[in-house]
Amino acid sequence: MRSDLRAAERRASALVGTVEHRDLGPLRAPETVAFARACAETDPRLLDPDSAGFEVHPLYLPSQLRGPDGGFAGDYRADGMFRDEVPGTDGLDVRLMAGGQTITFHRPVPLGDPVTVRRVLETVERKGKPGSEFLLLTVSKTYRARRAGDLATVIERFIVR
């Protein structure tokens, strides 16, 4: 196993069970509509915030990693991912890939209600054969609105090579 991959395994393993909270702020209609348009949505309920039946696209919430204002230049890796998105990998010469995502929606996403995300690295597993080993990290996220309560639970897997 390459030294940077071993370092990622050690670092990530030390973080298993660590709880992180991030404030995403209130979700704003212009950003949610832009997201729906980027998804090629045509449903007016997702595109017209002035309509009585307006809804936030359900996948908008799990796409929020830093809140509607995004990150700063120093927040990103050379490959475009956030430096802290895959625990234990910051500054290491490793390749990152999405390894799957499961989303459970609990209630519709409210506009204006401040949202937080609780993130926990659940597991770090070594996979593959000698010489072609990789890590599979499982991260759970719970998105919660201050007044509305739990909105969604997301289980993400990341492949680290």
Side-chain angles (χ1 to χ4, degrees):
M1 180 181 278
R2 292 181 315 105
S3 63
D4 279 343
L5 191 57
R6 275 194 301 278
E9 182 178 31
R10 279 192 310 276
R11 287 181 185 180
S13 294
L15 295 171
V16 169
T18 301
V19 177
E20 173 192 347
H21 290 90
R22 183 172 291 154
D23 181 10
L24 301 179
L27 302 185
R28 303 178 302 213
E31 287 89 0
T32 67
V33 170
F35 180 86
R37 285 192 182 122
C39 293
E41 286 291 347
T42 58
D43 186 336
R45 292 176 301 164
L46 301 172
L47 300 172
D48 183 4
D50 295 325
S51 75
F54 179 73
E55 298 174 12
V56 173
H57 192 291
L59 293 178
Y60 179 72
L61 187 65
S63 77
Q64 293 300 292
L65 304 175
R66 288 291 188 279
D69 294 326
F72 301 99
D75 293 339
Y76 297 97
R77 292 172 38 101
D79 61 13
M81 291 188 73
F82 281 110
R83 296 171 63 101
D84 64 352
E85 191 59 24
V86 181
T89 63
D90 186 25
L92 297 176
D93 183 20
V94 293
R95 308 296 175 257
L96 306 176
M97 296 173 50
Q101 184 180 64
T102 303
I103 305 171
T104 304
F105 296 103
H106 304 296
R107 63 182 39 86
V109 178
L111 286 178
D113 193 353
V115 174
T116 59
V117 62
R118 177 186 186 270
R119 184 173 90 149
V120 180
L121 174 59
E122 301 289 347
T123 62
V124 176
E125 302 172 77
R126 188 184 297 186
K127 301 281 189 176
K129 298 177 184 175
S132 62
E133 293 169 305
F134 64 93
L135 303 176
L136 181 65
L137 280 58
T138 302
V139 175
S140 67
K141 296 179 181 178
T142 303
Y143 291 84
R144 181 175 181 79
R146 184 176 297 153
R147 291 180 295 277
D150 287 355
L151 304 172
T153 303
V154 179
I155 305 298
E156 294 180 310
R157 287 167 195 82
F158 297 99
I159 296 169
V160 182
R161 290 192 175 279

